[in-house]
Amino acid sequence: MKQLLLVFFGGGFGSILRFIISKNFNSYFQHFFLGTFLVNIIGCLLIGIILGFSLKSDYLTQNQTLLLSTGFCGGFTTFSTFAFEKHSLLKAGELMHFSIYTITSIVIGVIAIALGLWVSKML
């Protein structure tokens, strides 16, 4: 139960921060979502730092890592987790899995958005 609460509070804070940043920066350019771009890049940097600390030493406890990576970064952006997973595959030399996972994640994600838009129009 404690771990669920850690993810809940971290995710809530991350989501609120993502909302504030996106709301304030997405309107700068017409065809470029600067706020979304910023949170994705910042999220990648943060999850790299958090998981790097967690894997490297006992600097962060398992609960702190859960709060910050799964909770905060998960709420702030899911792209950070996606990028970290890709990095892990590349580091492990899994080029085929990297390619398949990356391409299918992007393609199925775009298809799911299109499907969701289509379903919403039908209802």
Side-chain angles (χ1 to χ4, degrees):
M1 184 62 147
K2 180 180 178 180
Q3 291 179 328
L4 290 176
L5 289 174
L6 290 170
V7 172
F8 175 76
F9 287 116
F13 183 69
S15 295
I16 290 169
L17 189 57
R18 178 184 63 219
F19 172 76
I20 291 168
I21 292 171
S22 294
K23 183 177 179 182
N24 288 306
F25 288 93
N26 273 351
S27 60
Y28 278 102
F29 302 104
Q30 184 177 2
H31 297 291
F32 187 81
F33 298 99
L34 181 60
T36 303
F37 178 78
L38 289 173
V39 296
N40 282 335
I41 299 305
I42 292 167
C44 287
L45 177 63
L46 288 176
I47 204 167
I49 292 169
I50 293 162
L51 293 178
F53 277 137
S54 178
L55 295 171
K56 180 179 173 183
S57 66
D58 292 333
Y59 185 75
L60 296 173
T61 67
Q62 184 179 2
N63 284 337
Q64 289 170 328
T65 302
L66 189 63
L67 171 75
L68 296 171
S69 65
T70 304
F72 178 79
C73 287
F76 189 59
T77 175
T78 59
F79 187 75
S80 57
T81 301
F82 180 77
F84 181 78
E85 292 168 347
K86 301 307 142 284
H87 172 75
S88 297
L89 289 171
L90 285 175
K91 187 175 178 181
E94 296 289 340
L95 296 177
M96 179 176 268
H97 288 108
F98 168 84
S99 300
I100 291 168
Y101 187 51
T102 301
I103 292 168
T104 57
S105 294
I106 293 169
V107 170
I108 292 172
V110 171
I111 290 170
I113 290 170
L115 180 62
L117 291 171
W118 179 78
V119 168
S120 70
K121 287 180 182 179
M122 295 311 200
L123 297 177

